[in-house]
Amino acid sequence: EEEEGEEDVYDTPDAREIAALEACEDIEEAVGGLARRKLRCDAVLAGLVRWDNCARAAEFLRAWEESEPQFGCDLELCFEAVPRIKLKSQAEMAKAGAIVGLTFPEADEEYIQTYAGEWDPDEIGEREKQAFMEALEGASMGTANDDA
């Protein structure tokens, strides 16, 4: 079901709008301003990966998910969004992993392995996947993972 000329989700107006919200002092207000907007999880995650502060990005993602948006942003949807965002580097993948890990610290290891196992290796290389997983695990345990 691959469409030709599929837009790069990383750089859509929605993603740019979410990226710009980092300047917003009040996360709840930023989320409130997006209420009733049909933002997909991939656009939200694509915007948040551009934030410098992963903890604030995770706070936004949690608040967005709790606002019961039309399109959710739960753990599974975040994993499905990662390949669609087409993150180019290990650093971006690590940032996405950290945001997801901080947003869902209670995430079940088995689910995480299952969701990541569904990624197409042609879309996400092994090193990028490892960067994501290590950042996710480090974030969800609240520690930098040194013994990897």
Side-chain angles (χ1 to χ4, degrees):
E1 59 181 41
E2 189 117 337
E3 293 165 32
E4 281 306 300
E6 203 178 312
E7 74 180 327
D8 187 350
V9 179
Y10 187 73
D11 199 33
T12 60
D14 284 345
R16 287 195 293 273
E17 183 181 0
I18 301 276
L21 287 174
E22 184 172 16
C24 218
E25 290 292 309
D26 186 341
I27 296 268
E28 296 292 326
E29 195 179 299
V31 168
L34 296 171
R36 293 177 300 287
R37 286 280 303 283
K38 294 178 182 157
L39 293 169
R40 294 172 52 115
C41 187
D42 40 16
V44 174
L45 198 57
L48 292 177
V49 169
R50 300 177 185 195
W51 287 27
D52 291 328
N53 185 326
C54 290
R56 274 181 56 85
E59 190 184 332
F60 180 96
L61 188 56
R62 256 195 314 277
W64 175 250
E65 177 62 9
E66 286 165 7
S67 74
E68 295 180 8
Q70 184 149 359
F71 299 116
C73 234
D74 64 15
L75 182 67
E76 185 174 9
L77 288 167
C78 285
F79 268 87
E80 288 174 7
V82 170
R84 288 200 294 265
I85 303 172
K86 297 182 170 50
L87 298 173
K88 305 289 186 264
S89 69
Q90 289 178 48
E92 287 177 333
M93 285 293 285
K95 192 178 261 191
I99 292 168
V100 172
L102 290 165
T103 305
F104 305 103
E106 71 296 330
D108 186 288
E109 177 71 26
E110 215 170 296
Y111 283 132
I112 290 168
Q113 294 301 334
T114 303
Y115 296 150
E118 291 169 3
W119 287 344
D120 182 341
D122 293 336
E123 288 181 9
I124 296 181
E126 197 50 48
R127 284 204 296 270
E128 287 72 22
K129 180 176 172 178
Q130 191 176 353
F132 179 95
M133 298 300 276
E134 285 176 2
L136 186 153
E137 286 164 19
S140 62
M141 290 188 302
T143 58
N145 197 352
D146 297 327
D147 51 57

